Amino acid sequence: MLMMAVLTLLSLGLWTPDLSRADVESRYLQAPDDLRTVGAWRLHVRDSGPRQAPVVVFLHGFGASLHTWDAWSSGLMKTHRVIRLDLPGSGLSPPDPANDYSDARSLQLLVSLLDELGVSRASIVGHSMGGRIAWTFAAKHPERTDRLVLIAPDGFASEGFEYGKPPQVPVIMGLMRYVLPKSVLRMNLNSAYAHPDHLTDALTTRYHDLMRAPGAREAMLERLKQTVLQEPGPMLRQIKAPTLLVWGQADAMIPSSNARDYLQAIAGSRLQSWPGVGHLPQEEAAEVSLQAVADFLWIRPCEGFNAQGC
């Protein structure tokens, strides 16, 4: 059945092959040294700002890349050492060599990266799927977490997900390996933005190019298939780091009403949200959301929080 569908797509001229690695790197690799070997992985990492400054690590969401943090990174790199990476199989990072996209593997990667860069502690910032990795890291490694910023984090069960079970990935989604017209991708990306004009042609092209990096689409599907959520309450209650939740009130992907579950579970956490902003406040409301995050990262210990880690 799948082969017949592929042949049909070929006959319609909808085949969308991968770009070559040389091609995507020529478009999006800023410096050769940004591709580095970390443990078992080859990763695309940008490490900017003063080396002795407080460290902040950015983790992007599903299907995204380190570029989602461009505005925040530019705003913070004068006062912080800013480390952002493409997770395996995303952006310019090749797929995981073990084909393991579990959260446990992501935590191993993050520990290995911090060790490789000589970072003992950092503030962790995560968006959506990256938010789930961020809060899991903070719960399991409180000794390495200064502060925690969660932007529309994933983690509580929603439609299509049950605790303890991998999701049922629709067969039609598997066709993404073979066909991915930019127009179709744009329609899917639109739901992440409250205002469609924020999804520019250049931004759509970047998403499209990076999803066509060698092995990227297969890695996305594997990451989705290997997502097994656990009831997050017990782990969230272990978090000691001061925590800021950042949410667009017009988020159509992970509703801002989900924030109350995190506020109840993470002691001393607080919420910053804005009307007319969708799933990507770091892009749609970059200036105002950056200011909220910058202020939070510079709060003196215990100021404005009832945090257990003070």
Side-chain angles (χ1 to χ4, degrees):
M1 182 67 72
L2 181 59
M3 184 57 67
M4 290 180 62
V6 170
L7 291 173
T8 301
L9 293 169
L10 284 170
S11 70
L12 294 173
L14 297 176
W15 177 259
T16 313
D18 284 348
L19 298 172
S20 69
R21 179 149 294 280
D23 196 354
V24 289
E25 288 182 7
S26 70
R27 300 183 196 187
Y28 300 104
L29 183 62
Q30 193 172 72
D33 288 347
D34 289 347
L35 283 175
R36 60 173 71 213
T37 299
V38 177
W41 301 272
R42 186 76 170 157
L43 295 176
H44 180 214
V45 181
R46 291 191 185 171
D47 184 358
S48 55
R51 288 300 179 267
Q52 302 307 313
V55 180
V56 57
V57 176
F58 288 110
L59 302 173
H60 64 76
F62 183 78
S65 69
L66 57 72
H67 296 278
T68 194
W69 308 113
D70 282 351
W72 282 16
S73 178
S74 296
L76 287 172
M77 67 174 61
K78 292 180 181 178
T79 56
H80 288 74
R81 180 179 177 182
V82 178
I83 298 169
R84 48 189 174 136
L85 68 147
D86 289 333
L87 293 168
S90 302
L92 293 181
S93 291
D96 187 284
N99 196 39
D100 185 347
Y101 298 97
S102 64
D103 285 358
R105 179 77 163 176
S106 296
L107 296 190
Q108 292 172 2
L109 180 149
L110 188 50
V111 169
S112 295
L113 178 63
L114 294 178
D115 289 346
E116 173 73 18
L117 298 178
V119 175
S120 59
R121 294 178 62 88
S123 292
I124 310 296
V125 179
H127 172 245
S128 196
M129 174 195 75
R132 187 182 75 240
I133 297 170
W135 62 250
T136 304
F137 180 87
K140 290 184 174 290
H141 297 282
E143 77 287 353
R144 304 198 72 164
T145 308
D146 282 332
R147 293 180 179 274
L148 182 62
V149 179
L150 304 175
I151 305 100
D154 181 28
F156 284 89
S158 58
E159 185 177 354
F161 288 87
E162 296 180 53
Y163 296 130
K165 297 181 180 179
Q168 292 293 321
V169 179
V171 173
I172 189 76
M173 199 168 175
L175 293 176
M176 181 180 72
R177 299 182 185 96
Y178 312 105
V179 57
L180 190 65
K182 191 189 296 186
S183 59
V184 173
L185 177 62
R186 184 167 194 147
M187 285 191 296
N188 280 277
L189 291 172
N190 263 331
S191 60
Y193 297 85
H195 300 284
D197 57 325
H198 283 104
L199 184 59
T200 63
D201 289 340
L203 183 54
T204 304
T205 296
R206 189 186 74 205
Y207 269 103
H208 192 242
D209 288 348
L210 292 175
M211 286 185 182
R212 294 173 63 200
R217 285 175 281 181
E218 182 67 36
M220 285 179 63
L221 290 169
E222 283 299 317
R223 188 178 289 279
L224 187 57
K225 291 176 184 177
Q226 295 177 32
T227 299
V228 180
L229 300 180
Q230 304 299 327
E231 204 290 313
M235 195 172 297
L236 291 173
R237 287 190 283 272
Q238 295 177 34
I239 292 174
K240 306 298 183 184
T243 301
L244 177 68
L245 293 159
V246 174
W247 231 298
Q249 293 176 16
D251 192 332
M253 302 186 77
I254 303 181
S256 60
S257 57
N258 285 23
R260 61 174 171 263
D261 293 323
Y262 291 92
L263 293 170
Q264 291 172 0
I266 305 175
S269 58
R270 74 180 188 190
L271 171 67
Q272 286 274 6
S273 65
W274 301 274
V277 177
H279 190 56
L280 294 151
Q282 70 270 26
E283 295 182 19
E284 269 199 296
E287 186 174 349
V288 66
S289 60
L290 170 62
Q291 188 60 59
V293 170
D295 289 347
F296 168 70
L297 292 175
W298 276 112
I299 290 177
R300 292 188 299 274
C302 302
E303 182 179 302
F305 284 87
N306 187 23
Q308 298 178 29
C310 295

